């Protein structure tokens, strides 16, 4: 078959153990594996989303990803408790999505969103 089955972003990181630790402790991912001695490549997963990390190799700082889910506001509350770097709290956008923006240790951005909820937020551009 010629259809794609899955995509896994590869994020460049300065310190692989620190990146994995941040995603596990602050963003609620689970560590799947690391490779190398010392490790320079690794993988984390939350739900159906997997992310690879590459120390000193592939990718560039500042990569953006869109991650889609159900309850963005519940995740926002979780991230406030965990100490994650929340760059923008959830808000409704004109394209019908409710999104928040989260950062990591290597300037990557996770744009996390779901269906727009009825709230007092005014759409912003």
């Amino acid at each position: 078959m010629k259809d794609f089955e899955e995509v896994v972003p590869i994020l460049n990181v300065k310190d692989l153990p620190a990146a994995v630790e941040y995603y596990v402790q602050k963003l609620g991912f689970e560590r799947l594996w690391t490779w190398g001695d010392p490790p320079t490549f690794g993988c984390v997963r939350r739900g159906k989303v997997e992310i690879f990390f590459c120390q000193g190799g592939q990718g560039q700082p500042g990569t953006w990803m869109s991650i889609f889910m159900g309850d963005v506001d519940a995740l926002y509350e979780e991230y406030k408790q965990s100490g994650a770097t929340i760059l923008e709290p959830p808000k409704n956008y004109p394209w019908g999505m409710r999104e928040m923006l989260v950062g990591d240790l290597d300037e990557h951005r996770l744009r996390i969103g779901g269906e727009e909820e009825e709230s007092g937020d005014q759409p912003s551009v």
Side-chain angles (χ1 to χ4, degrees):
M1 207 186 269
K2 294 182 182 178
D3 292 336
F4 295 136
E5 294 184 15
E6 183 178 9
V7 63
V8 179
I10 303 172
L11 301 181
N12 183 283
V13 297
K14 294 177 209 137
D15 181 332
L16 182 83
V20 170
E21 181 74 8
Y22 180 83
Y23 275 76
V24 170
Q25 297 299 318
K26 305 295 184 185
L27 301 182
F29 283 73
E30 65 177 303
R31 177 186 175 274
L32 290 185
W33 52 264
T34 57
W35 180 85
D37 186 19
T40 58
F41 204 83
C43 182
V44 295
R45 173 178 59 206
R46 181 167 180 158
K48 296 179 182 179
V49 172
E50 290 186 4
I51 300 172
F52 288 165
F53 300 116
C54 182
Q55 181 174 316
Q58 303 167 13
Q60 298 295 322
T63 297
W64 284 60
M65 294 180 285
S66 286
I67 299 175
F68 301 98
M69 60 169 307
D71 192 343
V72 176
D73 292 285
L75 186 66
Y76 172 67
E77 293 302 322
E78 176 187 321
Y79 283 0
K80 284 195 314 187
Q81 293 297 317
S82 73
T85 302
I86 300 167
L87 302 172
E88 294 179 9
K91 59 184 172 184
N92 294 337
Y93 285 89
W95 46 88
M97 294 287 292
R98 184 163 180 80
E99 300 176 349
M100 71 177 183
L101 186 62
V102 176
D104 73 7
L105 302 177
D106 294 283
E107 301 178 24
H108 302 299
R109 302 292 180 250
L110 286 71
R111 188 172 189 151
I112 304 172
E115 289 187 22
E116 183 177 50
E117 293 182 2
E118 293 299 320
S119 75
D121 286 359
Q122 294 297 315
S124 56
V125 179

